[in-house]
Each structure stands twice: as C-alpha cells, then as structure tokens.
Amino acid sequence: MLNRRLLGMVLVCVAASATGVAFRATAVGTGPVRALARVGGTAAAEAVLTGDPQARKAGGRPMVIVRARVEAVERARVRVPVLLIAHDPRWLGLLPSQRVRLRGRFEKPRGAELLAAVVIVRGPPALLGGPSAVQRAAESVRARLRAAVDRLPPDQRGVLPGMVDGDTSRLDPALAEDFRTAGLSHLLVVSGANLAIVIGAVLWLCRVAGLGRRRAPPVAAVAVAAFVLVARPDPSVLRATVMGLVALLALFTGRSRQGVPALRAAVLLLVLIDPELARSYGFALSVLATAGLLVLAPPWRERLARRLPGPFADALAVAAAAEVAVAPVLVMLSGEVGVVSLFANLLAAPAVAPATLLGALGTAIEPVSPPLARLTVRPAGLAVGWIIWIARTAAALPYATIPWAGGGLGAVTLLMAGGIAVLILRHPGLRTAAVAAMAGVLIAVVVLRITAPGWPPPGWQMVACDVGQGDALALAAGPGRAVVVDTGPAPAPVDRCLSRLRVKEVPLLVLTHPHADHIGGTSGVRHGRTVRQVVRTSLTDGAENRFIGGLPSRPALAGRQWRVGDLTLLILAPLATGPALSPQDDGTTINNASVVLVARRPGFSALLAGDVETDAQRILETSVPRVQVLKVPHHGSRSQDPRFLAAAHAAISLVSVGRDNDYGHPAPSTLALLHRLHTQVHRTDQDGDIAIVRTRTGIAAVPRH
C-alpha cells in the first residue's frame, strides 16, 4: 500500500511537471526576448520585479541579481521571466512588484532554468511605479521585526529575522556556513515548519476564543496568506502554503486529513501554476522532506517507541526521516554527507517554535510599543542563541561532513549505500560481519591517529589554507599567533584552517587586492580572534571596508617593512599610489594592483605574489629576491612571465586553487613552466592545507591530506 501511494504521487508529479515544463519552455523559447538573447542584442525593456534584489560578488566586483518579468521590449508586448544582473547598487533598494525601465544586453540562459534571457543591465533602474500596497505592507512588517531585534547581540539579530520571515540581510556569512555544515540551514529560510507553527498557533487562539470548527480554518487561512506575503513566495513556502490550505479545507469540510494526498495536491497545483518549480532544487528538497515525514516517520516512530520514551522517539523519527529523504539531493549539490546534522536538529528543535512565535509576536507589538516589542524578543533571542551555539559546536566537530561524489553519481552511490545498509540490517549474519569490519576499521583509524604526526606539523613556518578558488595564507608569528595574507572567498574555510593551526591572534592581516576570492572570508579570520592591524593595497577601491570595520588600516607601499617577532615582511608592490581602483576596472587592472611581499625569518623565506599578472610581473622581475617558497601568482593562471618566476629560484611553489574550478587554473602552460624551473609544485586542490616546515637540509612541504 505504501509503495503504491508513493508511486502514484511520483507519477502524478512527473506527468504534471512534463506538461507544465513543455508549455513554459515553448513560451520562453520563442518571441522577441529570446530572439534578442540568441544574438546577444541590446535593447530597452520594461519589467516588473518578481523577487527581492540580492547582492552578490563576481570576479571581485559587486553585483545585484533579481528575478523579473519582462512585459515590453522594442514596442512589443510580452510576458516572460528573465534574470537581471546589474552593477549599480541602487537596484538593491527595489521591492517585488515594482515596474522599471531598463536597458541592457540580452543573453541566452546557460542553466536549465526556464528563463527567456539573462539581461546584463546598464546603469540604475528607471522607476515607472512604486511597489504594490501588499509589498509595501510586507516590507513594513520586515522593517518592524528588524527594529524589534536591534538590541539583541549581532548573531541573534541576524538569525531571528531569517527564522521568522526569511530576512537574512544581517546574517554573518561565517555563521550561515556553520548552519550549513551543521545541517541547520533550513532554519534560516521560511519553510513548512514555520507555516505549521503559525497554523497551530492560530488554531489554538481560535479555540481559546471559542471559535468552532467551521470558523477557525478561515481565520487560519487569512493568517497563512499574510504570512506568505511577508515571507515572500519562495518554492518551499509555496509548497507548504498550498498543502496547509488543502489540509485546512479538509478540516473545514469535516473530512479526515491525509498527508500524502495533501502533498500530492500541493505539488500538482504548484507545478501546473509555475512549471519552473519542477527544476527548483529548493522545491525538491521541501517536497522530499515532507514526503519523508509523511511516509517514513510514522513506522519509524512506532519501532523507536518500543525502546525509547514517546517524545524522544517522535523527535528522532521526524529528524531522521527528513534527513534520509533529502540526502540524495543534498549530496548532488554539495558533494558532502552530513554526519552531525541529525543530532544537531534534535537539539535545536525545542527552541525553534519559541523563537518563531515570540519573534512574530514582537513584530506585531512593535508599532504599538517598541520597548515592549524589544522585551518580547529577548527570550526569542535566547532560544536563537541556543540554536547558534549548536550550529557552531556541530560545525567545529571533526568530520562534521565527509566528502562524497557530487552530482548524479553521488546521489546514485548514496542510494546504493543506503540499500546495502538496509540489507545488512535485515540479515543477522551480514550484521555480524559488518560490525566486525567496522570494528577493524575503527581500530585501524585509532592506531593511525596515534602513530601518525598530528596537524599542524611542529615548527610550521607557513600554511597555504585550502579555501577553494581563492587565496589564504598563514605565516607563523609565535604561539597562537599568525600573520594572515588574504582570506579566501568565504568565511568558514579560512576559519577552520586557522582553528586547526590554533591561531588566536592575528597581529597583521594583509589583503592583497579587493577581489572577493581574496577578501570574502575576512569575517572568518575575525571570528573568535583578535586582529590588530590591516594592510591593504594603496590602490584599493574600498571593497574590503565592509569586512574590516573597526580595525586600524594602513596602505601597503613599495619599500615599507613590517616586523612581527622574528618575521619580516617587505613590500615590493604596488610600486606607486597612482589613481585608486574603481568597480568599473577590469579584473586584470585590479589583479596588477596586488600587494606583493617577501616574508623572511632565519631559515625561511617566501615570495607572496598576490594575483599580479604579466604586465606587473615584468616590472617587478628585477626586484625579486631569491626565496625558498613561491606563492604562484593568480592561482597558476596562464598570465605568467617566465623571468619573474625564474628570478625567485624557489625550491617549492604553492598554487592556491579550487578543485574543478571554471577558470582552468592552474594552466597547463604554467605547470610546465614551473617544472622546467625544477621547483616542487604543490596544489591546495590536491593536497588540502599545505604547511612549509624547516628541516636539517632546508625546507619541506607537508600536505594535510
């Protein structure tokens, strides 16, 4: 029976998806907008925003992306979805439903999304009208919650609005990464759990007020509609909304509520209304999580209740069912399998409802009495503080996530592993063999852990941190201290690297140039550490200012020296102050403004070359000293001057690069050149963190992997 119900739901969803996608694909694949996109044409258009503008970084440049619906182009009336990409910050102040006039270059969308075009917008938006009354009201509600939480600690006032209405504008990126690692990122977006809390609270209030079974559901439906408008109609919210309304209708008519039919109806309606949801990973995760709760949780709860107290059995069954259901899609997206997420969700669950309800109550009270609203959200802040502590503690645990194949292969292999696990659990002989094998592996791991040298290796001089496609290096500056040069693209990787190195103080933070892959992780360096001073290129456009607020900063000028203990840092570039950079400068101009420095101490020397490309390298090649270690410029791109690299005479060359990156770094020509120079090449995408240590005969590289 269970399998037939699941199969029926899958077949209905597939049929609806195929039909809806076919109609939408026809609509977006024809017409004047797609014709412009095919030739990369430029045109003026009128569009209505359908989503919130979001700030992003691309190649170090700030940009704004926002979904919209083009309704007029070249005097033709159309109605097709597009994605707008703008570089003017004034786009960030817009709200959904606003109508704008724009001019831009139309390009074909590269992904699988059902878009007519991607529009590279020139200049600011020309407003043709304000937001709708509904959207103004929704933004007013969001603003009231932000005002109510203003007195809470920074982390709490960043997380609580996300839990209540999906507003993550104040969320620290490092904390968001910890939530992701701990498997708690679903708490930072509005989903079915929030909606269930809202419906339950409204129905309870209706019961207290004496409203009967007939009058309570309409009141709950109005509350749901208001909640969705405030939270924005994201895929998970839409799914939960339709499913909740179907369940309310069943309550209103007196029919027994059935979860699987309600979910099936929700998916069918939503995919028919918006076929693009059929290709949304967020929507898929939401549906799978709900299906897991409806199909897997009940029988698991019954089995667990035989050995565990009822409430604990309920919580464990619900958390495990949701985790198992979404695991194949998550591994497709991340290439990782969460190990601690089940326990993190169990510990966080009791605090979710109080935080959500008290946050919503504070929002309602704020227009009447701001002091009372601030008092109301304080216990919500305490609940959020507990969740934040769980996220950070779980993310800091060793092996919180384990690497796994990504994409379709990862999903298939994970399903196969799950099938094998079920087979083993059902056969006593296989269970015994599996326990014996696992015990052997555990003993081997413990023995290797005891006998193998730990990390970091004793006496490390420098570490190239594995932060993906970016740079982050640490230079030893005494016990618990390190000079950090660049911070990578995201806070969490550099934070984890410095934690592994037991760094508590950063006497000097050098930001070589204002590209996101070198400054984006700055908050991760500051997390739990004291940063004394920042040194940055004298040509900066100020893009790093939002990361270094409150820290003393000095420009890096050629010839200037810094001493930290026995470590000396000599600046080689930029050579002159010159005109400051601007966001309109191309990537090469910004790369060539990089800080280039030489680090020395007795028995160790390194040239850290930032992202300088060929032109800057040619100017510097006569001033490059002999060193033992070279940090290869620009992640090993092909823009290298052979004489610059040769002048260093480095025994070891480090390439900081992300695995399977889109840029083709490091370039085969650069690797061939380094091999011709007889230098050992080590790469973070292959070796992980790479430590440089002193030996009796010189230096050596010790990879963490």
Side-chain angles (χ1 to χ4, degrees), residues 281 327-337 402-414 659-660:
Y281 282 112
V329 175
L330 286 179
V331 82
M332 286 177 64
L333 295 173
S334 64
E336 296 177 338
V337 175
I402 57 176
W404 198 274
L409 176 62
V412 171
T413 54
L414 185 64
R659 185 178 303 166
D660 300 325

Side-chain angles (χ1 to χ4, degrees), residues 458-479:
W460 64 274
Q461 304 296 303
M462 182 177 85
V463 171
C465 295
D466 179 14
V467 293
Q469 184 62 19
D471 271 11
L473 302 109
L475 295 158

Side-chain angles (χ1 to χ4, degrees), residues 603-656:
F604 168 78
S605 60
L607 173 63
L608 310 182
D611 271 4
V612 289
E613 299 188 26
T614 308
D615 291 342
Q617 291 175 22
R618 287 171 181 160
I619 297 173
L620 291 170
E621 63 187 33
T622 57
S623 59
V624 172
R626 285 176 172 257
V627 293
Q628 295 166 304
V629 180
L630 167 68
K631 200 290 294 186
V632 179
H634 199 201
H635 321 291
S637 76
R638 61 182 180 181
S639 299
Q640 309 291 339
D641 177 44
R643 287 172 292 186
F644 176 85
L645 300 183
H649 292 87
I652 294 174
S653 293
L654 302 178
V655 182
S656 186

Side-chain angles (χ1 to χ4, degrees), residues 276-451:
E276 192 172 347
L277 292 177
R279 301 188 181 187
S280 167
Y281 282 112
F283 183 66
L285 288 170
S286 180
V287 172
L288 286 173
T290 306
L293 297 179
L294 295 173
V295 177
L296 300 177
W300 291 2
R301 184 189 300 115
E302 291 179 6
R303 292 194 177 189
L304 290 170
R306 299 170 189 168
R307 297 178 175 84
L308 298 172
F312 189 75
D314 290 346
L316 183 58
V318 167
E323 290 289 327
V324 169
V326 301
V329 175
L330 286 179
V331 82
M332 286 177 64
L333 295 173
S334 64
E336 296 177 338
V337 175
V339 177
V340 300
S341 57
L342 175 60
F343 303 101
N345 276 279
L346 281 173
L347 292 173
V352 174
T356 303
L357 291 176
L358 289 171
L361 182 60
T363 305
I365 295 173
E366 202 276 339
V368 179
S369 175
L372 182 58
R374 288 193 291 270
L375 184 64
T376 302
V377 299
R378 284 197 176 184
L382 295 176
V384 168
W386 167 251
I387 296 172
I388 291 172
W389 180 83
I390 292 170
R392 284 185 167 148
T393 303
L397 292 174
Y399 309 111
T401 60
I402 57 176
W404 198 274
L409 176 62
V412 171
T413 54
L414 185 64
L415 289 172
M416 291 176 60
I420 293 172
V422 171
L423 184 65
I424 290 173
L425 290 174
R426 290 188 172 184
H427 292 80
L430 292 177
R431 280 204 304 271
T432 303
V435 169
M438 291 176 66
V441 170
L442 180 61
I443 293 171
V445 169
V446 171
V447 170
L448 288 174
R449 187 78 173 180
I450 294 173
T451 58

Side-chain angles (χ1 to χ4, degrees), residues 476-478 481 483 507 562-568 600-602:
R481 305 172 80 222
V483 171
W562 273 269
R563 293 188 64 87
V564 182
D566 65 347
L567 179 67
T568 301
R600 291 188 183 278
R601 66 157 43 95

Side-chain angles (χ1 to χ4, degrees), residues 21-88:
V21 169
F23 281 118
R24 180 63 64 87
T26 301
V28 302
T30 58
V33 173
R34 179 51 68 91
L36 278 169
R38 290 193 187 99
V39 298
T42 299
E46 292 183 11
V48 175
L49 273 60
T50 57
D52 285 297
Q54 299 177 2
R56 292 286 187 271
K57 282 277 188 178
R61 295 182 63 192
M63 69 176 186
V64 180
I65 63 171
V66 58
R67 290 183 173 274
R69 182 178 65 249
V70 170
E71 296 193 341
V73 62
E74 293 186 335
R75 299 182 181 179
R77 308 301 297 180
V78 295
R79 191 180 175 86
V80 291
V82 298
L83 182 70
L84 306 181
I85 300 178
H87 295 284
D88 193 299

